[in-house]
Amino acid sequence: MTGALWAVLIAAFLASTVEFVEAFTIVLVVGVTVNWRSSFVGTLAAVGALAVIVGIFGTALVVFVPINALRLAVGLLLVLFGLKWLKKAILRYSGLKAMHDEEAIYEEQLAEMRARGERPSVRVDPFGVATSFKSVLLEGLEVAFIVITFGSQANASANAKGTGILIAALGAAAALILVVALGALVRAPLQRVPENTLKFVVGIMLTSFGTFWGGEGIGISWWHEDLFLPILVVFYLAVTGILILWMRPYAPRKGAPAPTEQELEQPAQQEVIG
Amino acid sequence: MNRITGAIKATYNFFSGDAIILSAVIVAFVLGIILAQAVKAPNVVVALLFVAIIVASLVATLSRELVGRKRS
């Protein structure tokens, strides 16, 4: 297996771990408040839907889209995605945004479900199925996107039709198995998984790969070709480190609460509405 | 109409969720294509400009988060 395919496997695994840990919290809430059968039915349906999405879009991209157009589109989308993750990571590490806390999210969701009057039952409950389906599908869409973009691009680079997407899907499947196994073992939100660090690492990877492939798509010949990729990773790590140091003095003092994810996303949402 | 707006909003939030990053990255790609394909600018110039705009978009959006905050 080439270095590019290993990078694809690792990126897909790390990104998928983050997303599946988030989805697992909701699946757990449904399992505890409604029943495990509803939770598993919703989860399996969502995993099936995601496999179909990856199969259809992945194959279509590899077969029908010319390599340069693919590099351009994949590069653009990965840079957008990567910068979104990096921005959140920088805000978290500089103390301007609260760290992602699965335990707190679990408690919040549990209270919401109980306030709705959801009580444990034996039968498959449509609301429970829909809730776990929605959470796994929404979190899994990001995984599907990463598997398709990374996989299709690795196909083109390694000149091996289908292998790239298969490798990326294997990375995602390994993450899913790991999260499910850990979840079954602890039967609690997976708060010990270093989610914030993983998001930071994935943000760096997505931005670096996006810059590299996007650059190739617009016609840039990178110095020493594939060997320039680690240079980009180190460069973005350095930039991110400098930005965290620059922003840290503006963080609220200890004791004052950092704004939540929703509070920080409000200005961006208002822009769209406005 | 509400459904269309909702779909556009959801797509925007899925891929970017940040107007500064979205517009700057599009500028980086469009400018890169123009410089590399039409103007035939030197490779190093296009590469530096491309990466610089991407980094600038991150700096700009983070600067916006600091508006109204004081150094502690």
Side-chain angles (χ1 to χ4, degrees):
Chain A
M1 203 158 80
T2 63
L5 288 176
W6 272 110
V8 166
L9 181 78
I10 293 166
F13 175 77
L14 294 179
S16 307
T17 305
V18 173
E19 299 302 335
F20 288 139
V21 164
E22 289 178 8
F24 175 76
T25 303
I26 310 296
V27 171
L28 186 70
V29 170
V30 174
V32 169
T33 50
V34 184
N35 59 45
W36 284 105
R37 197 183 293 175
S38 306
S39 190
F40 286 139
V41 169
T43 303
L44 284 176
V47 170
L50 288 169
V52 171
I53 290 171
V54 171
I56 292 173
F57 286 101
T59 312
L61 276 178
V62 172
V63 175
F64 298 113
V65 181
I67 174 71
N68 271 341
L70 189 66
R71 277 184 179 145
L72 203 63
V74 165
L76 177 74
L77 294 175
L78 281 182
V79 170
L80 285 176
F81 230 56
L83 289 178
K84 184 173 86 167
W85 284 42
L86 262 191
K87 182 189 169 186
K88 281 184 186 173
I90 291 169
L91 288 172
R92 282 190 178 124
Y93 279 98
S94 58
L96 287 162
K97 181 179 177 183
M99 285 285 186
H100 194 89
D101 183 355
E102 287 303 327
E103 178 71 35
I105 292 167
Y106 174 75
E107 294 297 339
E108 194 183 310
Q109 294 289 331
L110 202 66
E112 259 180 45
M113 291 280 274
R114 284 186 174 150
R116 278 183 59 95
E118 295 298 329
R119 295 283 177 268
S121 66
V122 185
R123 289 181 180 176
V124 172
D125 177 69
F127 178 75
V129 173
T131 306
S132 67
F133 176 81
K134 211 172 87 177
S135 77
V136 175
L137 188 72
L138 286 179
E139 299 295 348
L141 272 180
E142 296 200 24
V143 173
F145 168 78
I146 289 167
V147 166
I148 291 171
T149 50
F150 265 71
S152 56
Q153 187 52 46
N155 276 341
S157 301
N159 224 356
K161 298 252 172 193
T163 317
I165 289 179
L166 187 70
I167 295 284
L170 278 177
L176 178 67
I177 292 166
L178 179 76
V179 170
V180 169
L182 282 176
L185 209 67
V186 300
R187 292 183 174 235
L190 299 173
Q191 53 182 340
R192 285 195 183 173
V193 173
E195 230 184 308
N196 294 295
T197 311
L198 285 178
K199 277 196 167 174
F200 177 73
V201 172
V202 174
I204 293 282
M205 288 185 91
L206 294 180
T207 312
S208 305
F209 275 92
T211 305
F212 186 80
W213 287 330
E216 281 188 333
I218 63 175
I220 295 170
S221 303
W222 297 107
W223 183 61
H224 284 287
E225 296 179 349
D226 284 4
L227 287 178
F228 195 75
L229 200 47
I231 297 173
L232 274 176
V233 171
V234 172
F235 171 73
Y236 280 121
L237 267 173
V239 167
T240 310
I242 292 167
L243 288 172
I244 290 170
L245 288 177
W246 169 55
M247 297 190 75
R248 202 165 268 171
Y250 294 92
R253 285 180 190 168
K254 277 186 180 176
T260 62
E261 205 154 302
Q262 283 171 336
E263 282 167 348
L264 280 165
E265 280 173 2
Q266 268 170 0
Q269 285 171 3
Q270 280 163 0
E271 270 175 24
V272 178
I273 298 162
Chain B
M1 196 62 190
N2 272 345
R3 279 186 184 175
I4 297 168
T5 315
I8 293 170
K9 196 178 140 190
T11 311
Y12 166 78
N13 281 331
F14 180 75
F15 285 111
S16 173
D18 188 302
I20 294 176
I21 289 177
L22 182 65
S23 43
V25 169
I26 289 171
V27 167
F29 275 78
V30 172
L31 199 65
I33 291 170
I34 293 169
L35 287 175
Q37 312 284 342
V39 182
K40 306 278 180 202
N43 189 55
V44 66
V45 173
V46 185
L48 282 176
L49 204 65
F50 181 64
V51 176
I53 297 173
I54 290 172
V55 172
S57 73
L58 190 60
V59 175
T61 189
L62 289 170
S63 302
R64 194 176 63 162
E65 300 290 339
L66 296 181
V67 173
R69 290 178 191 268
K70 286 180 185 171
R71 282 175 75 101
S72 55

Short mmCIF file of all heavy atoms in Angstrom, two decimals, chain A residues 154-194:
data_model
loop_
_atom_site.label_atom_id
_atom_site.label_comp_id
_atom_site.label_asym_id
_atom_site.label_seq_id
_atom_site.Cartn_x
_atom_site.Cartn_y
_atom_site.Cartn_z
N ALA A 154 -7.55 9.57 -4.08
CA ALA A 154 -6.48 8.56 -3.95
C ALA A 154 -6.51 7.60 -5.13
O ALA A 154 -5.47 7.16 -5.61
CB ALA A 154 -6.64 7.79 -2.65
N ASN A 155 -7.71 7.31 -5.63
CA ASN A 155 -7.84 6.48 -6.83
C ASN A 155 -7.05 7.08 -7.98
O ASN A 155 -6.31 6.41 -8.68
CB ASN A 155 -9.31 6.43 -7.30
CG ASN A 155 -10.09 5.39 -6.57
OD1 ASN A 155 -9.52 4.49 -5.98
ND2 ASN A 155 -11.39 5.51 -6.59
N ALA A 156 -7.29 8.40 -8.16
CA ALA A 156 -6.65 9.09 -9.27
C ALA A 156 -5.14 9.13 -9.09
O ALA A 156 -4.38 8.87 -10.02
CB ALA A 156 -7.21 10.50 -9.36
N SER A 157 -4.70 9.42 -7.85
CA SER A 157 -3.26 9.53 -7.59
C SER A 157 -2.57 8.18 -7.72
O SER A 157 -1.49 8.07 -8.30
CB SER A 157 -3.01 10.09 -6.20
OG SER A 157 -3.61 11.35 -6.08
N ALA A 158 -3.19 7.14 -7.15
CA ALA A 158 -2.54 5.82 -7.15
C ALA A 158 -2.84 5.05 -8.44
O ALA A 158 -2.32 3.96 -8.63
CB ALA A 158 -3.03 5.02 -5.96
N ASN A 159 -3.69 5.66 -9.31
CA ASN A 159 -4.06 5.03 -10.58
C ASN A 159 -4.67 3.64 -10.36
O ASN A 159 -4.41 2.72 -11.13
CB ASN A 159 -2.85 4.93 -11.50
CG ASN A 159 -3.24 5.32 -12.91
OD1 ASN A 159 -4.42 5.60 -13.19
ND2 ASN A 159 -2.26 5.35 -13.81
N ALA A 160 -5.42 3.50 -9.29
CA ALA A 160 -6.05 2.21 -9.00
C ALA A 160 -7.53 2.42 -8.78
O ALA A 160 -7.96 2.87 -7.73
CB ALA A 160 -5.42 1.61 -7.76
N LYS A 161 -8.32 2.14 -9.81
CA LYS A 161 -9.77 2.39 -9.77
C LYS A 161 -10.45 1.61 -8.63
O LYS A 161 -10.33 0.40 -8.56
CB LYS A 161 -10.41 2.01 -11.10
CG LYS A 161 -9.88 2.80 -12.27
CD LYS A 161 -10.90 3.79 -12.77
CE LYS A 161 -10.28 4.72 -13.81
NZ LYS A 161 -11.09 5.86 -14.11
N GLY A 162 -11.10 2.35 -7.76
CA GLY A 162 -11.88 1.69 -6.72
C GLY A 162 -11.13 1.46 -5.42
O GLY A 162 -11.74 1.43 -4.37
N THR A 163 -9.80 1.31 -5.47
CA THR A 163 -9.04 0.98 -4.26
C THR A 163 -9.11 2.09 -3.22
O THR A 163 -9.25 1.83 -2.03
CB THR A 163 -7.55 0.71 -4.62
OG1 THR A 163 -7.53 -0.08 -5.78
CG2 THR A 163 -6.84 0.03 -3.48
N GLY A 164 -9.00 3.33 -3.68
CA GLY A 164 -8.99 4.47 -2.77
C GLY A 164 -10.25 4.54 -1.93
O GLY A 164 -10.19 4.69 -0.71
N ILE A 165 -11.40 4.43 -2.59
CA ILE A 165 -12.68 4.51 -1.86
C ILE A 165 -12.81 3.32 -0.92
O ILE A 165 -13.29 3.46 0.21
CB ILE A 165 -13.86 4.61 -2.85
CG1 ILE A 165 -13.83 6.00 -3.50
CG2 ILE A 165 -15.20 4.38 -2.15
CD1 ILE A 165 -14.90 6.27 -4.50
N LEU A 166 -12.36 2.15 -1.37
CA LEU A 166 -12.42 0.95 -0.53
C LEU A 166 -11.58 1.14 0.73
O LEU A 166 -12.01 0.83 1.84
CB LEU A 166 -11.92 -0.26 -1.33
CG LEU A 166 -12.09 -1.61 -0.64
CD1 LEU A 166 -13.56 -1.99 -0.57
CD2 LEU A 166 -11.32 -2.69 -1.37
N ILE A 167 -10.37 1.69 0.55
CA ILE A 167 -9.46 1.92 1.70
C ILE A 167 -10.09 2.92 2.67
O ILE A 167 -10.09 2.72 3.88
CB ILE A 167 -8.08 2.43 1.20
CG1 ILE A 167 -7.37 1.37 0.35
CG2 ILE A 167 -7.21 2.92 2.35
CD1 ILE A 167 -6.77 0.24 1.11
N ALA A 168 -10.63 4.03 2.11
CA ALA A 168 -11.25 5.05 2.96
C ALA A 168 -12.46 4.47 3.69
O ALA A 168 -12.67 4.74 4.88
CB ALA A 168 -11.67 6.25 2.11
N ALA A 169 -13.25 3.65 2.98
CA ALA A 169 -14.43 3.02 3.61
C ALA A 169 -14.00 2.05 4.70
O ALA A 169 -14.66 1.96 5.75
CB ALA A 169 -15.26 2.30 2.56
N LEU A 170 -12.86 1.37 4.50
CA LEU A 170 -12.34 0.46 5.53
C LEU A 170 -11.94 1.24 6.79
O LEU A 170 -12.20 0.80 7.91
CB LEU A 170 -11.12 -0.30 5.00
CG LEU A 170 -11.41 -1.55 4.15
CD1 LEU A 170 -10.13 -2.15 3.64
CD2 LEU A 170 -12.19 -2.59 4.96
N GLY A 171 -11.33 2.40 6.58
CA GLY A 171 -10.95 3.27 7.70
C GLY A 171 -12.19 3.67 8.50
O GLY A 171 -12.20 3.63 9.74
N ALA A 172 -13.26 4.06 7.77
CA ALA A 172 -14.51 4.47 8.42
C ALA A 172 -15.16 3.28 9.14
O ALA A 172 -15.65 3.43 10.27
CB ALA A 172 -15.47 5.05 7.39
N ALA A 173 -15.13 2.11 8.50
CA ALA A 173 -15.73 0.91 9.11
C ALA A 173 -14.98 0.52 10.38
O ALA A 173 -15.60 0.14 11.38
CB ALA A 173 -15.73 -0.24 8.11
N ALA A 174 -13.64 0.64 10.35
CA ALA A 174 -12.83 0.32 11.53
C ALA A 174 -13.20 1.26 12.68
O ALA A 174 -13.31 0.84 13.84
CB ALA A 174 -11.35 0.45 11.20
N ALA A 175 -13.42 2.54 12.35
CA ALA A 175 -13.81 3.52 13.38
C ALA A 175 -15.18 3.16 13.97
O ALA A 175 -15.39 3.23 15.18
CB ALA A 175 -13.85 4.92 12.78
N LEU A 176 -16.10 2.77 13.09
CA LEU A 176 -17.44 2.40 13.54
C LEU A 176 -17.38 1.20 14.49
O LEU A 176 -17.99 1.21 15.57
CB LEU A 176 -18.32 2.06 12.33
CG LEU A 176 -19.75 1.60 12.65
CD1 LEU A 176 -20.56 2.75 13.25
CD2 LEU A 176 -20.46 1.08 11.41
N ILE A 177 -16.60 0.19 14.10
CA ILE A 177 -16.47 -1.02 14.95
C ILE A 177 -15.86 -0.64 16.30
O ILE A 177 -16.32 -1.08 17.35
CB ILE A 177 -15.62 -2.10 14.23
CG1 ILE A 177 -16.41 -2.63 13.02
CG2 ILE A 177 -15.26 -3.25 15.16
CD1 ILE A 177 -15.59 -3.43 12.04
N LEU A 178 -14.82 0.20 16.26
CA LEU A 178 -14.15 0.61 17.50
C LEU A 178 -15.12 1.35 18.43
O LEU A 178 -15.20 1.05 19.63
CB LEU A 178 -12.96 1.52 17.17
CG LEU A 178 -12.19 2.05 18.36
CD1 LEU A 178 -11.30 0.97 18.97
CD2 LEU A 178 -11.33 3.26 17.99
N VAL A 179 -15.88 2.31 17.87
CA VAL A 179 -16.81 3.10 18.68
C VAL A 179 -17.92 2.21 19.25
O VAL A 179 -18.26 2.31 20.44
CB VAL A 179 -17.40 4.27 17.85
CG1 VAL A 179 -18.55 4.95 18.60
CG2 VAL A 179 -16.32 5.29 17.54
N VAL A 180 -18.46 1.31 18.41
CA VAL A 180 -19.54 0.42 18.88
C VAL A 180 -19.01 -0.50 19.98
O VAL A 180 -19.66 -0.69 21.02
CB VAL A 180 -20.11 -0.40 17.70
CG1 VAL A 180 -21.03 -1.51 18.20
CG2 VAL A 180 -20.89 0.51 16.75
N ALA A 181 -17.80 -1.05 19.79
CA ALA A 181 -17.21 -1.95 20.79
C ALA A 181 -16.97 -1.22 22.11
O ALA A 181 -17.32 -1.72 23.19
CB ALA A 181 -15.91 -2.54 20.26
N LEU A 182 -16.38 -0.02 22.01
CA LEU A 182 -16.13 0.76 23.23
C LEU A 182 -17.43 1.13 23.92
O LEU A 182 -17.55 1.05 25.14
CB LEU A 182 -15.36 2.05 22.88
CG LEU A 182 -13.86 1.91 22.61
CD1 LEU A 182 -13.28 3.25 22.18
CD2 LEU A 182 -13.14 1.43 23.87
N GLY A 183 -18.42 1.51 23.10
CA GLY A 183 -19.73 1.90 23.64
C GLY A 183 -20.40 0.74 24.36
O GLY A 183 -20.97 0.90 25.43
N ALA A 184 -20.33 -0.46 23.75
CA ALA A 184 -20.94 -1.64 24.36
C ALA A 184 -20.24 -1.99 25.68
O ALA A 184 -20.86 -2.48 26.61
CB ALA A 184 -20.85 -2.81 23.39
N LEU A 185 -18.95 -1.69 25.71
CA LEU A 185 -18.15 -2.01 26.90
C LEU A 185 -18.47 -1.06 28.06
O LEU A 185 -18.70 -1.49 29.19
CB LEU A 185 -16.67 -1.90 26.53
CG LEU A 185 -15.69 -2.78 27.28
CD1 LEU A 185 -15.93 -4.24 26.94
CD2 LEU A 185 -14.26 -2.38 26.93
N VAL A 186 -18.49 0.24 27.77
CA VAL A 186 -18.64 1.21 28.88
C VAL A 186 -20.10 1.60 29.13
O VAL A 186 -20.45 2.05 30.21
CB VAL A 186 -17.79 2.49 28.68
CG1 VAL A 186 -16.33 2.16 28.61
CG2 VAL A 186 -18.22 3.25 27.44
N ARG A 187 -20.96 1.47 28.12
CA ARG A 187 -22.38 1.84 28.21
C ARG A 187 -22.57 3.24 28.80
O ARG A 187 -23.40 3.46 29.68
CB ARG A 187 -23.15 0.81 29.03
CG ARG A 187 -23.23 -0.50 28.30
CD ARG A 187 -24.03 -1.51 29.02
NE ARG A 187 -24.17 -2.68 28.18
CZ ARG A 187 -25.33 -3.22 27.85
NH1 ARG A 187 -26.43 -2.69 28.25
NH2 ARG A 187 -25.38 -4.29 27.09
N ALA A 188 -21.76 4.16 28.32
CA ALA A 188 -21.82 5.56 28.75
C ALA A 188 -21.25 6.41 27.63
O ALA A 188 -20.60 5.87 26.73
CB ALA A 188 -21.01 5.74 30.03
N PRO A 189 -21.48 7.74 27.66
CA PRO A 189 -20.89 8.58 26.61
C PRO A 189 -19.37 8.43 26.57
O PRO A 189 -18.73 8.34 27.63
CB PRO A 189 -21.28 10.00 27.03
CG PRO A 189 -22.41 9.85 27.95
CD PRO A 189 -22.28 8.52 28.61
N LEU A 190 -18.82 8.37 25.35
CA LEU A 190 -17.38 8.11 25.22
C LEU A 190 -16.59 9.41 25.41
O LEU A 190 -15.99 9.93 24.49
CB LEU A 190 -17.09 7.49 23.85
CG LEU A 190 -17.79 6.16 23.59
CD1 LEU A 190 -17.58 5.71 22.16
CD2 LEU A 190 -17.26 5.09 24.55
N GLN A 191 -16.60 9.90 26.66
CA GLN A 191 -15.95 11.18 26.90
C GLN A 191 -14.43 11.08 26.98
O GLN A 191 -13.75 12.10 26.93
CB GLN A 191 -16.51 11.83 28.15
CG GLN A 191 -16.49 10.94 29.35
CD GLN A 191 -17.11 11.62 30.55
OE1 GLN A 191 -17.22 12.82 30.58
NE2 GLN A 191 -17.51 10.86 31.54
N ARG A 192 -13.90 9.85 27.10
CA ARG A 192 -12.44 9.73 27.20
C ARG A 192 -11.77 9.72 25.83
O ARG A 192 -10.55 9.81 25.73
CB ARG A 192 -12.06 8.46 27.96
CG ARG A 192 -12.30 8.62 29.43
CD ARG A 192 -11.61 7.54 30.21
NE ARG A 192 -11.91 7.67 31.62
CZ ARG A 192 -11.55 6.78 32.52
NH1 ARG A 192 -10.89 5.71 32.16
NH2 ARG A 192 -11.84 6.95 33.78
N VAL A 193 -12.57 9.57 24.77
CA VAL A 193 -11.99 9.66 23.43
C VAL A 193 -11.55 11.11 23.23
O VAL A 193 -12.35 12.03 23.44
CB VAL A 193 -13.02 9.26 22.36
CG1 VAL A 193 -12.49 9.51 20.96
CG2 VAL A 193 -13.40 7.79 22.51
N PRO A 194 -10.28 11.35 22.88
CA PRO A 194 -9.80 12.74 22.77
C PRO A 194 -10.38 13.44 21.54
O PRO A 194 -9.66 13.71 20.56
CB PRO A 194 -8.28 12.58 22.68
CG PRO A 194 -8.07 11.22 22.12
CD PRO A 194 -9.23 10.37 22.55
#
